[in-house]
Amino acid sequence: MGGSCKDQRMAVAVCLQRSPCVLIERHTPTECIENPELSKDLPELCKAQMKAFWECRKGFFDMSKRFRGNAPLSTGKYDQQYANLSSGNFDAVEEYKKLQVLDSGNKD
């Protein structure tokens, strides 16, 4: 079950790396999550992905999922994006535009 939340974790990491808190204000992703002043300004997409990740993690301790499994294993969907953002191999303006497009799609 250890790999079943990998995609959600990567999605949260990519979203946080694209957020204004990290890209523009230059805070760490941990600071953006833990500081109440910073976390209130996170995009709704990031908040929704964090909630999905925590629900997945909570499934590790849910005895009703013990035999069925928590979730499908990781597909590696976000691995390349995460690698690019972690290594600094990205254009900040382009990543911010991607986040705005994705976040505006959730509000409709």
Side-chain angles (χ1 to χ4, degrees):
M1 258 200 270
S4 63
C5 297
K6 183 180 177 191
D7 281 342
Q8 286 93 347
R9 186 180 76 227
M10 291 290 184
V12 169
V14 167
C15 189
L16 286 173
Q17 289 290 340
R18 290 178 175 166
S19 72
C21 183
V22 174
L23 275 180
I24 297 171
E25 299 171 14
R26 308 302 295 165
H27 295 286
T28 65
T30 305
E31 290 172 348
C32 293
I33 293 172
E34 292 177 352
N35 187 335
E37 289 296 316
L38 298 175
S39 66
K40 71 178 182 181
D41 295 329
L42 286 175
E44 291 300 318
L45 178 66
C46 294
K47 292 177 183 177
Q49 288 177 339
M50 282 192 291
K51 184 176 182 198
F53 174 65
W54 290 119
E55 290 296 321
C56 182
R57 294 291 298 201
K58 194 169 88 173
F60 285 150
F61 305 106
D62 187 358
M63 287 297 127
S64 67
K65 295 182 180 182
R66 187 97 173 148
F67 294 108
R68 292 184 313 227
N70 190 26
L73 290 176
S74 172
T75 60
K77 180 178 178 182
Y78 299 101
D79 290 348
Q80 185 62 40
Q81 291 174 348
Y82 181 74
N84 288 342
L85 289 170
S86 296
S87 65
N89 184 18
F90 66 94
D91 178 22
V93 174
E94 186 65 31
E95 293 300 324
Y96 185 65
K97 286 180 183 177
K98 287 180 188 177
L99 178 65
Q100 287 178 328
V101 168
L102 290 172
D103 199 34
S104 67
N106 272 357
K107 293 178 183 177
D108 293 337

